[in-house]
Amino acid sequence: MNKDISSAVIRRMPRYYRYLGDLLDDGIERISSNELSRLMDVTASQIRQDLNNFGGFGQQGYGYNVQYLYEEIGKILGLDQTHNIIIIGAGNLGHALSNYVRFEKRGFLTIGIFDVNPALAGGHIRNVQIRMMDELPEFVKTHKVDIAAFTMPKEKAEECADLVVSLGIKAIWNFANVELDLPQDVTVENVHLSDSLMQLSYRIVQNRRNDR
Amino acid sequence: MNKDISSAVIRRMPRYYRYLGDLLDDGIERISSNELSRLMDVTASQIRQDLNNFGGFGQQGYGYNVQYLYEEIGKILGLDQTHNIIIIGAGNLGHALSNYVRFEKRGFLTIGIFDVNPALAGGHIRNVQIRMMDELPEFVKTHKVDIAAFTMPKEKAEECADLVVSLGIKAIWNFANVELDLPQDVTVENVHLSDSLMQLSYRIVQNRRNDR
């Protein structure tokens, strides 16, 4: 049933999850869709529609049980499972990602970091060893790898994609600022930082024009 | 006129810009909307519609002049101007952003990096000095700052937002994984890395379910 859910809905689910987590931290046990709506700046009907895609979770006259909804959305997002990540590219961004302890709390574990720079060989980021790229095939054969994070330079990304796909990895978290050409059964999530910065500069320029 | 252009269109513009840049690098001088469509995996009518928001740029029977379109989209995105950036939070992500030389080529200049950790005071990332947060007000008074990049921990983000807004900064590039409460005239671009990772894990889990 979940196959037809639009990507816009999927994009909003992590945001619900974050807000519900904050409510839980604040000790709030239940919330109406109207209150959630005000908090999140989304219409209440949007919230109901979004959640109805997955079966609802609300109770007429009661609203949502925060803990229950948080856990259910967590399951929808696959956060009740562990996802092993390898990071390819041990530069600053690779360091930043592997240090993101927040990810670990949600079941994302960095189990390997790879680079081509021999100067980095044998080093560690937190407790994860930096390995050389030629060790990657053996590593993937002997470890369960769910996600490859691409933090290498753009020029190397397509070659790395071919490699990880050939090794059977089915998901790529791509920071390499290039669109990867991938088989249908491999899923990719792109984080194009420069696109994001360009959207910001678009809005800056627009605002200045409108101010004139 | 540009006020009403949808955010979906704006989101696609940097992607056009990237593809056109690649075409230029390959020495391609003109391209039809059909060829561009195939390359970018967007329908030709979508491309025409998107570009018509800004006045078209194509010529019947000729297609698009790559150099011209690249430059025009660059202007739309504000890339014909220089944007001065300060980075608040000199951790790994702050380092990664300030080292992103690619940004500089497009007119984004990191002119200051700020942190609260005294151990970092006086250090440099590339040629930019790391300053302490209490130097920020004076710095903003004496330098033109267009964008504040937020790479500090989530817990400090709201406080930093109040500060930079009070100093007159009108744009925030927010990596702090929290929704900021900002005045109408301040624009924000959020990069929620954990949301992105959760969307990826959603699709991984879906694919596994569908495989069964």
Side-chain angles (χ1 to χ4, degrees), chain A residues 10-26 36 39-40 66 69-71 73-74 77 79 102-103 106, chain B residues 154 174-180 190-199:
Chain A
I10 306 312
R11 244 197 323 267
R12 285 191 291 268
M13 298 309 283
R15 195 161 168 256
Y16 289 117
Y17 188 76
R18 267 193 287 124
Y19 273 90
L20 291 163
D22 288 345
L23 289 172
L24 271 187
D25 287 345
D26 294 344
L36 193 56
L39 191 70
M40 293 187 60
V66 175
L69 187 55
Y70 178 77
E71 281 170 13
I73 292 179
L77 292 171
L79 305 181
R102 197 184 314 140
F103 292 159
R106 299 204 172 135
Chain B
K154 178 181 175 177
N174 179 32
F175 289 80
N177 206 39
V178 63
E179 240 80 18
L180 300 171
N190 291 309
V191 182
H192 289 315
L193 294 182
S194 69
D195 284 23
S196 161
L197 194 51
M198 287 189 245
Q199 287 177 58

Side-chain angles (χ1 to χ4, degrees), chain A:
Chain A
M1 112 188 173
N2 289 351
K3 242 181 160 171
D4 298 327
I5 292 170
S6 81
S7 62
V9 176
I10 306 312
R11 244 197 323 267
R12 285 191 291 268
M13 298 309 283
R15 195 161 168 256
Y16 289 117
Y17 188 76
R18 267 193 287 124
Y19 273 90
L20 291 163
D22 288 345
L23 289 172
L24 271 187
D25 287 345
D26 294 344
I28 292 164
E29 287 177 19
R30 74 185 211 189
I31 192 163
S32 68
S33 56
N34 283 326
E35 289 166 308
L36 193 56
S37 151
R38 226 168 302 132
L39 191 70
M40 293 187 60
D41 204 14
V42 182
T43 66
S45 95
Q46 173 86 85
I47 293 176
R48 283 190 295 266
Q49 267 181 44
D50 282 350
L51 297 180
N52 278 339
N53 279 302
F54 304 97
F57 312 117
Q59 230 174 298
Q60 197 68 42
Y62 175 89
Y64 297 106
N65 176 310
V66 175
Q67 175 81 41
Y68 176 70
L69 187 55
Y70 178 77
E71 281 170 13
E72 289 302 309
I73 292 179
K75 282 182 208 164
I76 290 165
L77 292 171
L79 305 181
D80 55 339
Q81 307 181 18
T82 295
H83 302 274
N84 289 341
I85 303 181
I86 58 169
I87 294 173
I88 308 183
N92 285 301
L93 191 57
H95 272 77
L97 293 187
S98 61
N99 275 314
Y100 243 135
V101 283
R102 197 184 314 140
F103 292 159
E104 275 188 19
K105 288 192 215 144
R106 299 204 172 135
F108 298 98
L109 298 178
T110 301
I111 62 165
I113 301 165
F114 294 85
D115 206 291
V116 290
N117 182 356
L120 298 174
H124 287 77
I125 305 181
R126 293 176 70 222
N127 50 359
V128 181
Q129 195 192 323
I130 302 177
R131 292 181 167 84
M132 294 295 96
M133 277 303 282
D134 57 13
E135 301 173 61
L136 184 63
E138 185 59 28
F139 186 88
V140 177
K141 271 173 215 153
T142 52
H143 297 75
K144 178 175 166 284
V145 177
D146 301 298
I147 298 169
F150 275 26
T151 52
M152 77 290 287
K154 177 182 176 177
E155 294 69 28
K156 298 284 179 189
E158 202 59 67
E159 184 187 326
C160 279
D162 292 344
L163 176 64
V164 304
V165 166
S166 77
L167 295 171
I169 293 174
K170 297 293 185 205
I172 296 176
W173 197 23
N174 178 32
F175 288 80
N177 205 38
V178 63
E179 241 79 18
L180 300 170
D181 195 13
L182 297 168
Q184 281 259 319
D185 66 336
V186 177
T187 183
V188 63
E189 168 74 18
N190 292 308
V191 182
H192 289 314
L193 293 183
S194 68
D195 284 23
S196 161
L197 194 51
M198 286 190 243
Q199 287 176 59
L200 184 59
S201 85
Y202 170 83
R203 292 203 301 270
I204 292 171
V205 170
Q206 277 315 113
N207 287 347
R208 284 185 195 150
R209 276 180 200 146
N210 295 336
D211 279 350
R212 268 180 222 151

Side-chain angles (χ1 to χ4, degrees), chain B residues 12-32 36 39-40 47 51 57 64-74 77 106:
Chain B
R12 285 192 290 269
M13 297 308 284
R15 196 161 168 255
Y16 288 117
Y17 188 77
R18 266 193 288 125
Y19 272 90
L20 291 164
D22 288 345
L23 289 172
L24 271 187
D25 288 346
D26 293 344
I28 292 165
E29 287 177 18
R30 74 185 212 189
I31 191 162
S32 68
L36 193 57
L39 191 69
M40 293 187 58
I47 293 176
L51 298 180
F57 313 116
Y64 297 106
N65 177 310
V66 176
Q67 175 81 44
Y68 174 72
L69 186 55
Y70 179 77
E71 283 170 11
E72 290 302 309
I73 292 180
L77 292 170
R106 300 205 172 135

